[in-house]
């Protein structure tokens, strides 16, 4: 190429983000990310690292020493968790009730593990009795479950029942909390979860790039006593311990600006209060759900397992889900998403997370969605939906 590319100033559209992530980023987080860079071993950054770890412990509801932001997206934290805890020859029990249970299985296989499953239909949570039966049949070393399944809009209840079953069988528990951390009730220590990972771009309303991970002493003991090295050097927790542990020794160049952003996002969590934040998500998403149903649409997840941070709405017959999504982008600069896997084309996934979980976002979404559906002749009552939303608020 002889001539330089003619690339102009960056001008991305100003979207309202109501999909499965990312969510709207709080202005304070964006401001924090525009502050001056320091080195990843600078004494001032070491102090920032300490603060981020303390804030993560508060948000996870844990005292785990080994609580860090992994350099990468939520999938990096997921792979760090599974790729370090699962050794070649280990058996990992994973769920079949959603897209991200399948991803757990893929990562466990790549780590050299033998994967077995506990079955539940898409759109349903795991039944503790089925988990107990799977343990009796397979004797797994590690059990993974998805606390908030982004593909189906289902929240897993009875988490302590699941962890009790696993620990009674001497297995470690890994929890996917990507769509729950900071948005719905999650108590790592009280619920006896050994490892939990998440992403910053959902209920924490922070750009992706530094992803929360926590391990308790039992999990770290297994990581540090592995017979073989983890297959990923970059995500090897036994090596990362040197940087995020007491030594603060070089391992890789941390994404400094992303850590700044995560620190500010977690400060917002602490200022609001974690339980108050859970309550806000429940209140605002409850109004969204009431408005959707008031319009005449149907939720995919049963009420007992409804996930406030990620709402799955059934696509009406004769409606093209992709056309609705495109209409919202083109006419309203509003993002929602289609279904994944077995639910592709059958549902929309509507996030109500972090800074996006606000009344003005919900009313804007309902009005825009009603207009998009009206363009395809769907029988929806926008006024009834908005009235139901207002009544719920």
């Amino acid at each position: 190429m002889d001539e330089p590319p003619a690339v102009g100033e960056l001008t991305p559209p100003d979207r309202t983000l109501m999909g499965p992530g990312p969510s709207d980023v709080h202005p304070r987080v964006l401001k924090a990310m525009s502050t001056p860079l320091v080195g990843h071993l600078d004494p001032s950054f070491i102090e920032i690292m300490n603060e981020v770890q303390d804030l993560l412990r508060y948000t996870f509801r844990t005292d785990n020493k080994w609580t860090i932001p992994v350099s990468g997206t939520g999938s990096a934290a997921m792979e760090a968790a599974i790729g370090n805890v699962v050794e070649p020859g280990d058996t990992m029990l994973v769920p079949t009730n959603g897209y991200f249970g399948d991803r757990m299985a893929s990562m466990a296989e790549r780590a050299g593990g033998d994967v077995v499953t506990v079955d539940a239909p898409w759109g349903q949570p795991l039944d503790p009795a089925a988990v107990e039966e799977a343990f009796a049949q397979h004797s797994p070393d590690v059990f993974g479950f998805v606390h908030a399944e982004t593909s189906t809009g289902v929240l897993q209840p009875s988490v302590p029942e699941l962890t009790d079953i696993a620990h009674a069988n001497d297995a470690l528990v890994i929890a996917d909390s990507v769509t729950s951390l900071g948005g719905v009730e999650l108590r790592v220590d009280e619920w006896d979860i050994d490892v939990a990972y998440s992403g910053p771009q959902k209920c924490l309303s922070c750009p992706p790039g530094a992803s929360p991970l926590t391990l308790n002493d039992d999990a770290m003991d297994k990581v540090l006593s592995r017979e073989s090295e983890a297959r990923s050097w970059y995500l090897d927790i036994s090596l990362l311990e040197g940087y995020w542990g007491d030594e603060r020794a070089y391992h890789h160049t941390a994404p400094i600006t992303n850590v700044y952003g995560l620190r500010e996002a977690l400060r917002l969590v602490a200022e609001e209060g974690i339980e108050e934040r859970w309550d806000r998500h429940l209140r605002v998403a409850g109004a969204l759900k009431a408005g959707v149903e008031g319009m005449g649409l149907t939720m995919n997840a049963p009420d007992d397992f409804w996930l406030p941070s990620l709402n799955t709405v059934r696509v009406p017959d004769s409606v093209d889900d992709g056309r609705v999504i495109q209409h919202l982008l083109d006419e309203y600069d509003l993002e929602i998403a289609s279904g994944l896997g077995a639910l592709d084309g059958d549902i929309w996934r509507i996030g109500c997370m972090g800074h996006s979980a606000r009344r003005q976002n919900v009313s804007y979404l309902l009005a825009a969605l009603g207009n998009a559906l009206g363009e395809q002749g769907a029988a929806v009552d926008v006024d009834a939906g908005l009235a139901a939303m207002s009544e719920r608020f």
Side-chain angles (χ1 to χ4, degrees):
M1 180 182 291
D2 295 327
E3 297 296 324
V7 177
E9 183 180 351
L10 180 66
T11 55
D14 186 9
R15 307 283 200 205
T16 298
L17 300 176
M18 297 290 285
S23 59
D24 287 343
V25 176
H26 196 285
R28 276 176 48 183
V29 174
L30 293 174
K31 181 180 178 181
M33 296 182 73
S34 69
T35 54
L37 209 64
V38 296
H40 58 285
L41 292 173
D42 188 292
S44 67
F45 191 68
I46 300 299
E47 182 58 32
I48 289 168
M49 293 167 71
N50 294 335
E51 292 167 344
V52 168
Q53 289 181 282
D54 285 343
L55 288 163
L56 279 175
R57 291 184 187 103
Y58 171 77
T59 305
F60 270 124
R61 313 310 295 134
T62 185
D63 292 324
N64 290 342
K65 176 184 178 182
W66 193 245
T67 302
I68 68 168
V70 175
S71 299
T73 64
S75 294
M78 182 181 194
E79 190 146 32
I82 295 171
N84 282 273
V85 173
V86 177
E87 293 186 73
D90 280 352
T91 298
M92 183 172 181
L93 178 66
V94 301
T96 64
N97 61 337
Y99 185 89
F100 291 96
D102 292 345
R103 184 170 292 184
M104 275 188 164
S106 178
M107 288 188 179
E109 288 171 348
R110 286 170 180 255
D114 299 318
V115 172
V116 294
T117 61
V118 52
D119 297 332
W122 276 52
Q124 294 289 325
L126 294 179
D127 181 349
V131 172
E132 197 155 25
E133 183 179 335
F135 265 93
Q137 181 178 354
H138 301 294
S139 300
D141 304 285
V142 182
F143 167 52
F145 74 95
V146 181
H147 183 221
E149 178 52 76
T150 316
S151 63
T152 62
V154 168
L155 180 66
Q156 176 66 46
S158 309
V159 170
E161 274 192 78
L162 303 184
T163 59
D164 284 350
I165 293 166
H167 293 141
N169 289 274
D170 298 321
L172 292 173
V173 177
I174 300 177
D176 180 317
S177 63
V178 170
T179 311
S180 57
L181 181 66
V184 298
E185 183 178 11
L186 172 68
R187 301 181 185 273
V188 166
D189 285 1
E190 187 178 325
W191 294 355
D192 214 8
I193 296 168
D194 298 297
V195 183
Y197 59 83
S198 190
Q201 75 279 11
K202 296 188 183 262
C203 298
L204 298 180
S205 278
C206 182
S211 299
L213 172 67
T214 187
L215 300 90
N216 66 14
D217 289 344
D218 290 341
M220 276 301 293
D221 286 347
K222 188 172 194 304
V223 170
L224 296 175
S225 63
R226 288 175 58 108
E227 293 183 4
S228 60
E229 294 179 332
R231 294 187 174 182
S232 170
W233 180 91
Y234 183 66
L235 298 175
D236 185 339
I237 293 176
S238 70
L239 300 178
L240 288 173
E241 183 190 31
Y243 182 56
W244 284 99
D246 295 333
E247 190 179 353
R248 300 300 194 206
Y250 170 70
H251 176 259
H252 69 276
T253 302
I256 296 153
T257 297
N258 289 94
V259 175
Y260 289 173
L262 181 60
R263 177 184 180 275
E264 191 63 21
L266 293 168
R267 274 209 329 138
L268 287 163
V269 173
E271 288 174 11
E272 184 174 6
I274 188 61
E275 295 192 0
E276 290 77 10
R277 194 176 182 91
W278 297 338
D279 289 344
R280 171 169 61 86
H281 280 80
L282 183 61
R283 183 176 68 256
V284 176
L288 169 61
K289 180 175 179 291
V292 165
E293 292 174 335
M295 288 171 63
L297 300 174
T298 304
M299 302 293 290
N300 180 64
D303 286 349
D304 289 345
F305 316 126
W306 163 65
L307 173 58
S309 51
L310 198 285
N311 297 266
T312 48
V313 179
R314 301 293 304 182
V315 177
D317 293 340
S318 77
V319 168
D320 183 324
D321 68 307
R323 279 182 57 195
V324 168
I325 292 168
Q326 193 62 48
H327 182 92
L328 295 178
L329 278 177
D330 293 343
E331 301 299 325
Y332 295 94
D333 275 321
L334 174 64
E335 179 185 276
I336 66 172
S338 58
L340 285 174
L343 292 174
D344 184 21
D346 294 334
I347 63 168
W348 292 295
R349 295 182 297 146
I350 302 175
C352 192
M353 299 183 285
H355 193 52
S356 292
R358 293 179 287 160
R359 179 169 183 158
Q360 59 263 45
N361 280 32
V362 172
S363 58
Y364 185 58
L365 167 74
L366 291 174
L369 181 60
N371 176 262
L373 287 166
E375 288 288 313
Q376 294 192 46
V380 291
D381 189 335
V382 178
D383 291 338
L386 291 171
M389 177 207 74
S390 296
E391 182 177 350
R392 182 63 182 267
F393 270 123

